[in-house]
Amino acid sequence: MFRNRKSVAGLAILAFFVLIAIFADVLAPFSPTQVDNTARFQPPSAEHWLGTTHIGEDVLSQVIHGTRGVVVVGFLAALIATTIAITVGVISGYVSGWKSEGLSALTNVFLVIPGLPLIIIVAAMFEDPPLWVIAAVLGLIGWAWGARVLRAQTMSLRNRDFIQAARANGEPLRRIITIEMLPNLMALIAASFVGTVTAAILGLTTLSYIGVIPVTTYNWGTILNWASAQGAFQQNQWWWYLPPGLCIAIIGVALSLINFGIDEYVNPRLRSAGERARAMKKKGLDVNEPVTAVRPEMDGLAAHPTPAPADKGTE
C-alpha cells in the first residue's frame, strides 16, 4: 500500500493538513477574530495573503484555525463510529440466533435515522456546542454502514478452518475475535475509518454552512457561511470563499486517494492490475493502449509473409 502512488499522495496531503491543525497558533499571522477597520474587503496583498473580510479579519488566519476544527471533528467522529462499527458488526457476524438478529436490527435502525434533525436538536441544547459533542453526534449516526460491511465479512470468516480450529481448542470468544478475526478485517476497518472521516468532514462543513452549527465554532464551513451572508459570492470577492472551498475539495481528494490505495490492497485483482500497470510503465508501454504492440520480429514477418505452398494438383 505504501508503494502505491495514490495512497502515498493522499497520506502526504492529509499529513499537511494535520500539521496545520496542530501548529495553527504558530502558523497563523493574525488572530482569526482580529479586526482591522482600515483593511476591509481587501484582496490578497503582502500583509494579508488571502485578503480580508468585511470587517478586516485576515482570511488566511481563519482558514488555518478552521483546519483544526475540521481535523478534530473528522478524526474523532471516525474513531467513535469505527469503534461502534467493529463492536456491533463483528459480534453480530460471529454469534448466531437472537443476538445476531438483534444487533442486525439495531444496525438497520441507525441506517435510516436522519442525521440532520438529530444534529439540529443537539445544537439547540447548547449555546456553543464544543467540538467533541459535534463529533460524537456525527459518529453516532455514521457507524451503521461500516458495521453492515464488517458483519458480512465476519459471517464469511467464522466458518473458515482456522476459526473452527480455534473454537475446537476452546479459545474464548474475546481471543477469537481479537486475535483471529480482527487482523483479517483490518483493511476493511481502515477503509471504513477513512470513509467515515470524509463523511464527517463533509457533514461538519455542510451543517456549518447552512447555519445549524453556531458560527462561533471555527471551521471552513463557517467561513463560507460568513462569506455568503456578507454577499461575497455576489460581489465576486473570491479570496474569501475560494480558499476554504479548495481546502474542502483537496482534503476530500486526499481521503479518496487513500481509500483507492486501501481498495487496491484489499482486492487481489486490483492489486495485481496495479502492479502490472506499474511494470508496463517501467518498460515504456502505454497501459491505456487497447491493442498490444507487435514485436519487431513479428512485424517483419507480417511485412514479408511466407508464401503458401503451391497446390500440386494444379502444376
Side-chain angles (χ1 to χ4, degrees):
M1 176 181 171
F2 293 100
R3 291 194 299 267
N4 188 301
R5 294 181 180 180
K6 296 178 182 178
S7 57
V8 170
L11 289 171
I13 297 172
L14 185 61
F16 172 75
F17 282 107
V18 171
L19 290 176
I20 289 179
I22 294 174
F23 300 103
D25 296 331
V26 178
L27 296 175
F30 301 94
S31 171
T33 57
Q34 182 177 339
V35 177
D36 186 359
N37 294 323
T38 62
R40 297 182 178 182
F41 283 132
Q42 282 193 357
S45 60
E47 184 178 2
H48 302 282
W49 289 4
L50 292 181
T52 59
T53 66
H54 64 295
I55 56 176
E57 296 171 330
D58 185 67
V59 176
L60 176 60
S61 301
Q62 292 185 348
V63 171
I64 291 175
H65 281 274
T67 306
R68 178 175 294 173
V70 171
V71 171
V72 169
V73 171
F75 279 90
L76 185 56
L79 181 62
I80 295 172
T82 304
T83 302
I84 300 175
I86 293 173
T87 304
V88 176
V90 176
I91 293 177
S92 65
Y94 182 79
V95 300
S96 58
W98 66 269
K99 296 179 181 179
S100 177
E101 296 300 327
L103 291 174
S104 179
L106 178 65
T107 304
N108 293 333
V109 169
F110 274 87
L111 278 174
V112 299
I113 288 180
L116 183 59
L118 180 60
I119 295 179
I120 292 175
I121 294 173
V122 173
M125 297 172 59
F126 295 89
E127 182 177 354
D128 188 7
L131 292 177
W132 68 267
V133 173
I134 300 172
V137 176
L138 291 173
L140 288 174
I141 64 176
W143 61 268
W145 286 107
R148 176 62 62 190
V149 174
L150 290 174
R151 180 177 186 269
Q153 186 65 21
T154 303
M155 292 178 69
S156 68
L157 286 175
R158 69 183 181 184
N159 295 322
R160 300 285 180 89
D161 292 339
F162 65 95
I163 299 296
Q164 296 296 332
R167 187 183 303 171
N169 288 333
E171 298 289 347
L173 176 62
R174 181 182 65 257
R175 189 181 188 282
I176 291 176
I177 291 178
T178 57
I179 303 300
E180 302 294 342
M181 282 193 168
L182 284 184
N184 293 279
L185 298 172
M186 285 306 298
L188 289 177
I189 292 172
S192 176
F193 182 86
V194 173
T196 308
V197 171
T198 306
I201 290 176
L202 293 178
L204 172 68
T205 52
T206 301
L207 293 170
S208 300
Y209 175 69
I210 65 178
V212 174
I213 297 176
V215 294
T216 54
T217 303
Y218 270 101
N219 61 75
W220 299 329
T222 54
I223 299 174
L224 293 174
N225 178 282
W226 294 329
S228 177
Q230 300 301 323
F233 294 95
Q234 291 78 14
Q235 302 176 22
N236 197 25
Q237 294 163 348
W238 57 268
W239 60 86
W240 195 353
Y241 62 82
L242 190 59
L246 285 177
C247 288
I248 296 172
I250 292 172
I251 199 170
V253 169
L255 294 169
S256 299
L257 290 174
I258 296 173
N259 220 345
F260 291 155
I262 295 174
D263 288 340
E264 185 172 321
Y265 176 77
V266 174
N267 193 329
R269 292 184 178 180
L270 292 177
R271 184 167 65 249
S272 61
E275 293 174 353
R276 185 163 54 250
R278 287 190 288 270
M280 292 178 65
K281 288 181 179 179
K282 289 181 179 179
K283 294 180 179 180
L285 301 176
D286 186 5
V287 296
N288 297 319
E289 182 65 34
V291 180
T292 305
V294 181
R295 290 180 298 178
E297 58 270 18
M298 296 299 294
D299 194 6
L301 291 176
H304 304 284
T306 304
D311 190 354
K312 294 182 180 180
T314 59
E315 290 181 355

